[in-house]
Amino acid sequence: MKSKRHINPLKWIGYLFTPIQKNGAFFVFMFALGWICTQYEIMPYYLRNKGAEPYELSLPELFFDIYVVCIFLTLIRPSYASSGSKLFTIHHSLFTTIRAVLYVFFYGLALVDMFCYERFESTLTPTMLMLAMETTSQEAREFLSGYLSWDIVKTGVGWILLLMVVHILWTFARALVRRMRKRMILPRLHESMYTIPKLVMGLLIAWCLYSAVSLTWDNKVAMRRLFACNTIGEVEHELTRKDKANLYIPVYRLAFGLYANGLADTQIDQLKAASDKIQVDSCCYRVPNIVLVIGESYNKHHSQLYGYDKETTPRQVALEAEGGLVKFTDVVSTWNLTSFVFKHMLSLYAVGDRGEWCDEPLFPEVFRKAGYHVTFVTNQFEPKAKEAVYDFSGGFFLNDPELSQRQFDSRSTRTHRFDDGVLKEYDALRDSTIKHNLVILHLMGSHVDYRARYPQKTDTHFTPQMYNRPELTDQQKQTLAHYDNSLRYNDSIVAAITQRFADQDAVVIYVPDHGEEIFDGEPYMYGRMHSANIDYRLARNEMEIPFWIWGSPQYRENHPYGWLAIQNAKDRPLMIDALPHLLLYLGGISTPLYREELNVISPAYDVKRLRILKGEIDYNTLKK
């Protein structure tokens, strides 16, 4: 009888070192490559020289990730398999090819990622990948000739290139040593000579793995959640969480970019299919010129028009006093994220309907098929290399070439520092010979950073000393002053828009995408609380929004009953996902897509309709 083999646990612990032992060069150089990327690519870019620190768990997570790849390489390594276990083994030349491909992929990806970071102040993003996929060969050549220069070697790209050179030299040196060893007859050490050192290294690896897993487990769970999202909107919402995934190395950023683009492509296909639903029976062009102005991050309770004690909207107040502006008093947004709001605002889908927002057509395409000339000017959603996922999520369906052509006759091609650039863009696109116009103007408004939303040299009106708020710090008062100054500057922009249509038969509708926290109640903060439970305090600041309709003198004269209907509707409860149906009515477009119960100025409007915030809770219940 054969004697039973005893399992030696110490020997198995020693095997933990095997993946690194068999792939030592791969482990060392890939770890160094990852370390360079994590130390140089500190996001956001502008904080790199202001004390910002790299991802604090980059070293243990990098160790764990590369160790896992080494396990894979060890399992397929020909020299590792015994004669009785060749399930995972492959030919030596194929193994060498796989390892070489991994080197080329990781080095190449790191170079591209670092280059983008140094040249465009951003690592790989979904938008960057989308732009790359749409780039022609000629555009690629022009790009390389314009951006590649020797000065790039002085940046983080240079460190990666240096590491590559060292790796190549080491590879040649190792090959030379191996050749020399083959010519020499050296005594072979007994296996027992390696037992103790391997055991020590195994114990060290075990401790490192335990530490790495315990420290970085939450990030791996967050990554799993991120890559389990079914829509690009879910992705964006996931990334608003405090415990969001940290995509700390280029390979994860590439995977995310491809995943996000895949999700976006699915919804683009749905939108294209929804175009088949568009049927326009007739159009009387009830209002020849309809202007929709979409603002940004506007806290209704900081508007002088709605009773704020600072003069943030003197021009709107004047327009109301003249009788040309009707403010609505009970309007809420659907979300506190621009991208979600844009989808609800432009789609004929209404919250509560079956399916998704992309299962229904976008109203600009309906207007275009009805004979309106549709102009779109945005100061946010032009695709840029360093575009964040939030802008990508809000603009991917506007920037798709085919969908853009279906929706818009003319549109802007660049963004501007301040919103007066939107006026200039519109003036350049404006054609006075066109009789029927739908104009959509998307402002930067009061998007953080507030101090960057108005020209401080010419438009600073409020200062910290003007606020009697002892509960706030001086810095908070300064932020508050910047915010109110941005609203006053926004007031000048929207007033200038109305003046451009003062001698036409036109209406201008102003609606921001959502509100903003701006130190109105504890906790004293600014921005938005994306992950917080929705109570009335949050809804008041982040969901309640200003909404008004301005009618030109000609419009009021030509449409007295329409103007009266607008005035009578000013106190009706409204959620802005219903806005497209008001627009279809004003355009006089007869289509099966129009739903009168969602037209706020119609006598058949459903005033008891639920207003579900973030798909979770009815605002009407919160307000009560």
Side-chain angles (χ1 to χ4, degrees):
M1 294 179 61
K2 293 183 178 180
S3 61
K4 293 184 179 180
R5 298 180 65 180
H6 296 283
I7 298 176
N8 186 350
L10 296 178
K11 186 176 181 180
W12 284 101
I13 292 176
Y15 281 145
L16 291 174
F17 179 58
T18 300
I20 297 179
Q21 180 187 19
K22 298 294 184 180
N23 304 280
F26 181 90
F27 182 88
V28 170
F29 284 104
M30 292 302 96
F31 189 91
L33 179 64
W35 184 84
I36 290 172
C37 292
T38 60
Q39 299 305 302
Y40 269 83
E41 297 174 339
I42 300 175
M43 302 304 294
Y45 179 91
Y46 64 85
L47 292 177
R48 182 170 64 175
N49 296 320
K50 296 184 179 181
E53 297 292 333
Y55 172 48
E56 63 275 12
L57 299 177
S58 58
L59 292 183
E61 190 153 5
L62 190 60
F63 172 86
F64 176 79
D65 288 344
I66 297 177
Y67 185 84
V68 170
V69 179
C70 287
I71 291 176
F72 165 74
L73 291 175
T74 302
L75 290 174
I76 67 172
R77 189 183 184 96
S79 61
Y80 174 67
S82 64
S83 58
S85 60
K86 295 189 177 183
L87 179 62
F88 299 104
T89 60
I90 59 177
H91 194 272
H92 186 273
S93 60
L94 180 56
F95 171 79
T96 304
T97 302
I98 291 174
R99 189 174 57 186
V101 168
L102 288 176
Y103 280 140
V104 172
F105 175 71
F106 288 137
Y107 275 121
L109 182 59
L111 283 171
V112 171
D113 195 60
M114 186 69 74
F115 175 83
C116 293
Y117 179 71
E118 297 291 352
R119 282 289 188 253
F120 306 114
E121 303 179 3
S122 171
T123 54
L124 289 173
T125 64
T127 302
M128 200 177 293
L129 292 175
M130 179 187 70
L131 293 173
M133 288 185 284
E134 295 175 357
T135 301
T136 64
S137 58
Q138 180 180 350
E139 291 172 334
R141 287 193 297 269
E142 293 174 353
F143 170 84
L144 292 175
S145 64
Y147 285 98
L148 278 182
S149 57
W150 284 109
D151 65 315
I152 195 69
V153 178
K154 300 177 182 178
T155 66
V157 174
W159 286 107
I160 296 177
L161 292 174
L162 178 61
L163 181 66
M164 291 174 62
V165 171
V166 172
H167 193 168
I168 292 171
L169 293 176
W170 184 89
T171 302
F172 280 116
R174 184 180 63 172
L176 181 61
V177 170
R178 283 182 173 177
R179 288 183 182 179
M180 294 176 62
R181 289 180 63 182
K182 285 182 179 180
R183 297 176 182 177
M184 301 171 61
I185 300 176
L186 298 176
R188 189 164 185 171
L189 298 178
H190 192 270
E191 184 180 354
S192 60
M193 298 292 291
Y194 295 103
T195 302
I196 300 301
K198 197 170 182 179
L199 174 61
V200 173
M201 293 303 298
L203 291 171
L204 178 61
I205 298 301
W207 178 81
C208 290
L209 286 174
Y210 172 78
S211 300
V213 171
S214 60
L215 289 172
T216 65
W217 181 255
D218 290 342
N219 195 46
K220 295 304 184 188
V221 171
M223 284 188 189
R224 183 182 179 279
R225 285 199 315 265
L226 179 63
F227 286 97
C229 293
N230 296 315
T231 67
I232 192 64
E234 289 182 18
V235 166
E236 181 186 7
H237 193 233
E238 171 64 29
L239 291 177
T240 64
R241 296 175 55 140
K242 292 182 179 179
D243 59 344
K244 64 181 179 181
N246 193 312
L247 307 175
Y248 74 108
I249 50 177
V251 67
Y252 287 137
R253 293 192 279 269
L254 174 65
F256 171 67
L258 295 173
Y259 186 72
N261 273 278
L263 294 178
D265 288 343
T266 299
Q267 294 195 324
I268 285 175
D269 290 340
Q270 290 176 259
L271 284 172
K272 291 176 180 177
S275 294
D276 297 335
K277 296 182 180 180
I278 298 178
Q279 175 187 333
V280 176
D281 298 325
S282 63
C283 183
C284 67
Y285 306 105
R286 182 176 284 116
V287 183
N289 298 283
I290 302 172
V291 185
L292 175 62
V293 184
I294 304 175
E296 171 69 55
S297 302
Y298 202 128
N299 186 311
K300 169 184 174 180
H301 307 287
H302 281 251
S303 169
Q304 178 191 2
L305 185 67
Y306 285 87
Y308 187 50
D309 61 358
K310 298 287 189 295
E311 294 183 353
T312 54
T313 60
R315 298 168 185 84
Q316 293 170 55
V317 170
L319 291 173
E320 182 185 38
E322 294 169 1
L325 184 150
V326 175
K327 69 172 182 284
F328 284 62
T329 60
D330 189 8
V331 182
V332 294
S333 182
T334 56
W335 277 75
N336 55 356
L337 280 172
T338 302
S339 61
F340 277 86
V341 175
F342 244 76
K343 293 162 186 172
H344 291 150
M345 195 184 296
L346 268 64
S347 171
L348 286 162
Y349 168 91
V351 173
D353 291 348
R354 291 183 178 180
E356 299 180 85
W357 68 275
C358 51
D359 292 327
E360 297 296 331
L362 304 175
F363 80 79
E365 186 175 355
V366 180
F367 269 82
R368 192 163 184 266
K369 287 194 174 183
Y372 272 86
H373 184 278
V374 182
T375 301
F376 178 54
V377 180
T378 176
N379 209 20
Q380 290 191 51
F381 287 155
E382 293 298 337
K384 302 178 287 293
K386 62 178 180 178
E387 184 177 59
V389 69
Y390 316 108
D391 291 327
F392 173 79
S393 176
F396 72 88
F397 63 98
L398 299 171
N399 295 324
D400 177 76
E402 184 178 341
L403 284 179
S404 179
Q405 187 176 12
R406 291 185 184 187
Q407 295 179 80
F408 311 121
D409 293 283
S410 54
R411 62 172 294 171
S412 58
T413 57
R414 57 178 181 153
T415 57
H416 299 266
R417 181 180 180 186
F418 301 118
D419 280 334
D420 61 350
V422 172
L423 301 177
K424 296 173 184 176
E425 288 284 333
Y426 172 69
D427 290 341
L429 296 171
R430 187 175 184 178
D431 186 345
S432 59
T433 64
I434 298 174
K435 295 182 179 180
H436 308 121
N437 292 282
L438 170 66
V439 180
I440 304 173
L441 305 177
H442 179 208
L443 308 178
M444 184 64 78
S446 298
H447 197 295
V448 289
D449 177 7
Y450 312 133
R451 61 185 176 181
R453 298 294 162 251
Y454 67 98
Q456 294 189 34
K457 291 183 179 180
T458 58
D459 287 79
T460 296
H461 183 82
F462 304 104
T463 62
Q465 294 74 28
M466 299 173 68
Y467 296 89
N468 184 22
R469 299 283 302 275
E471 73 276 17
L472 301 183
T473 66
D474 291 342
Q475 183 60 47
Q476 289 173 326
K477 291 178 184 178
Q478 180 62 75
T479 301
L480 180 56
H482 284 314
Y483 184 78
D484 286 349
N485 280 320
S486 73
L487 296 187
R488 189 178 174 95
Y489 176 70
N490 180 80
D491 181 63
S492 70
I493 299 299
V494 297
I497 292 171
T498 63
Q499 292 308 302
R500 279 163 169 73
F501 295 90
D503 59 351
Q504 302 178 51
D505 188 347
V507 295
V508 176
I509 299 174
Y510 177 76
V511 55
D513 52 0
H514 51 71
E516 190 89 340
E517 297 284 345
I518 190 68
F519 308 117
D520 292 333
E522 295 182 359
Y524 294 114
M525 59 165 291
Y526 67 93
R528 279 159 283 155
M529 297 189 290
H530 294 293
S531 301
N533 293 326
I534 304 174
D535 55 15
Y536 180 66
R537 177 216 168 278
L538 185 147
R540 180 183 184 275
N541 290 317
E542 301 187 30
M543 305 295 191
E544 292 183 1
I545 54 174
F547 180 94
W548 50 256
I549 300 177
W550 174 86
S552 69
Q554 279 193 41
Y555 170 78
R556 284 176 273 155
E557 181 180 349
N558 296 341
H559 311 274
Y561 295 107
W563 185 241
L564 181 61
I566 291 173
Q567 291 175 310
N568 290 337
K570 66 183 181 63
D571 295 319
R572 290 177 180 171
L574 174 65
M575 189 163 70
I576 58 175
D577 61 322
L579 179 61
H581 300 275
L582 167 63
L583 296 172
L584 291 177
Y585 171 79
L586 293 175
I589 300 174
S590 177
T591 172
L593 296 167
Y594 170 68
R595 293 156 65 179
E596 192 170 13
E597 71 275 12
L598 296 178
N599 174 13
V600 70
I601 68 173
S602 167
Y605 177 69
D606 182 9
V607 295
K608 296 183 179 181
R609 180 188 177 225
L610 300 180
R611 292 186 283 177
I612 307 299
L613 307 181
K614 297 180 70 171
E616 296 178 11
I617 191 166
D618 181 17
Y619 169 80
N620 300 329
T621 303
L622 286 178
K623 192 173 183 181
K624 287 180 183 180

